[in-house]
Amino acid sequence: ALNAGFQRALLWVISRTGSVRRIRREDVSLHPEIDTTIITFRHAVSDFQTYEISIGTVAAGLRVSAIGHVGGSKPPIRAEWRGRELVILEADLARVTKDVNGYVRQLHRLQIEGSDVKIHGVRGFELSFGSQVGMSGGPVVDSSTGTVLGMLSFGLPRGSPVKTRTFAVSIDEIWNRCRWGGT
């Protein structure tokens, strides 16, 4: 269930090129069982980079890129109040991006019982590279096709801002939740 604060929060998605979209609460579905929040865009988002997904194509050794952001850092944002609404006029994510290249190390049924992530028996995979706090939620993209294979979820060791092992939830699991709906 959504927490009480979320019902009053304002949400935006900011692209790396600085485009900004306000998100309505009804366009957000939570899937804590796969450590995922899905945002549905009701209209075309031509000012954002988008990716196709690739179902069932993950294999050990596949070259991939992970697209993420640096945790705990804040991008420069220019905003103003218009009446009772905060409007983001401009944002620059250039200093907070963190992308990594590597390969799929191994396929897994993910099992994690952390304070912020609880996943049990979810299809996913381990990546050959480390990550850092803030990259979670970013896509894992097939380097040769440009299609999304999964979403960065968690890293180990727990409690460390720099992770030496990185895991992703398979796009198959996410796609199934999109079709079935969420909380």
Side-chain angles (χ1 to χ4, degrees), residues 18-87:
S19 297
V20 178
R21 292 275 175 140
R22 172 111 181 258
I23 304 299
R24 298 180 324 199
R25 187 174 143 258
E26 57 269 18
D27 294 335
V28 177
S29 63
L30 304 177
H31 303 273
E33 74 282 3
I34 60 169
D35 188 32
T36 302
T37 298
I38 297 172
I39 300 169
T40 303
F41 292 98
R42 298 179 187 275
H43 305 287
V45 287
S46 59
D47 50 343
F48 280 72
Q49 183 175 359
T50 59
Y51 298 88
E52 297 292 320
I53 62 172
S54 184
I55 303 293
T57 59
V58 179
L62 189 65
R63 305 272 332 148
V64 296
S65 296
I67 300 170
H69 294 89
V70 178
S73 59
K74 295 180 177 71
I77 293 176
R78 194 168 60 84
E80 67 183 29
W81 286 98
R82 293 186 183 160
R84 295 180 58 175
E85 183 175 351
L86 179 64
V87 177

Side-chain angles (χ1 to χ4, degrees), residues 57-64 102-107 125-126 128:
T57 59
V58 179
L62 189 65
R63 305 272 332 148
V64 296
Y103 61 91
V104 174
R105 180 171 302 206
Q106 183 176 355
L107 303 182
F125 46 94
E126 182 177 358
S128 65

Side-chain angles (χ1 to χ4, degrees), residues 83-163:
R84 295 180 58 175
E85 183 175 351
L86 179 64
V87 177
I88 296 178
L89 304 170
E90 183 178 39
D92 182 4
L93 300 182
R95 286 184 265 156
V96 298
T97 60
K98 176 72 175 175
D99 299 347
V100 185
N101 297 311
Y103 61 91
V104 174
R105 180 171 302 206
Q106 183 176 355
L107 303 182
H108 286 281
R109 283 282 179 179
L110 300 175
Q111 297 285 343
I112 185 88
E113 185 70 32
S115 59
D116 61 338
V117 179
K118 294 172 180 29
I119 298 178
H120 302 285
V122 172
R123 286 175 297 179
F125 46 94
E126 182 177 358
L127 298 158
S128 65
F129 46 82
S131 60
Q132 66 186 60
V133 170
M135 293 184 69
S136 296
V140 177
V141 178
D142 182 321
S143 296
S144 64
T145 66
T147 58
V148 175
L149 304 171
M151 186 192 71
L152 295 169
S153 180
F154 64 93
L156 298 173
R158 291 184 202 170
S160 172
V162 176
K163 312 298 182 179

